[in-house]
Amino acid sequence: MARYDVHPFEQGFVLDVQAELIDMFETRAVVPLLKSEAVPSALPRLHPVFSIDGVDYTMATQFVSAFPKTALKPPVANLAREHDRIVAALDMLFYGF
């Protein structure tokens, strides 16, 4: 499992945000990536938008959760190039800035 991998999920995708250093658990911390129209009142810093296969998906950061590794399907993309925006969204959620 790799940090920032994008895995298919029923409502879109989930983004793995867990550090690889702590891969010993049976779960990974993930954030849903939902079609942008499904995320009401998006806040730009909390809800960055990423294009996957030409479709915009919003990081629904407030729904961060633990997900069983065994339930994650093979990744279809990796958003490591978006590290700064992803960390900014998590900082907004946890610290308010």
Side-chain angles (χ1 to χ4, degrees), residues 48-97:
V49 177
F50 306 107
S51 181
I52 301 169
D53 293 331
V55 178
D56 285 344
Y57 290 88
T58 298
M59 182 176 165
T61 311
Q62 74 275 17
F63 295 129
V64 65
S65 61
F67 206 78
K69 285 183 186 178
T70 57
L72 291 173
K73 296 178 182 173
V76 297
N78 184 282
L79 296 178
R81 69 189 179 284
E82 300 289 354
H83 168 84
D84 291 345
R85 294 174 62 214
I86 294 166
V87 170
L90 294 169
D91 283 349
M92 182 71 176
L93 179 70
F94 293 127
Y95 304 114
F97 62 86

Side-chain angles (χ1 to χ4, degrees), residues 7-72:
H7 301 271
F9 189 60
E10 52 197 55
Q11 286 103 358
F13 299 98
V14 291
L15 174 64
D16 185 333
V17 295
Q18 184 171 314
E20 291 156 359
L21 179 68
I22 45 178
D23 195 36
M24 72 289 277
F25 302 117
E26 295 302 315
T27 58
R28 295 292 293 179
V30 300
V31 176
L33 297 175
L34 306 174
K35 286 192 177 176
S36 292
E37 61 270 10
V39 181
S41 66
L43 302 169
R45 186 172 169 91
L46 185 65
H47 301 118
V49 177
F50 306 107
S51 181
I52 301 169
D53 293 331
V55 178
D56 285 344
Y57 290 88
T58 298
M59 182 176 165
T61 311
Q62 74 275 17
F63 295 129
V64 65
S65 61
F67 206 78
K69 285 183 186 178
T70 57
L72 291 173

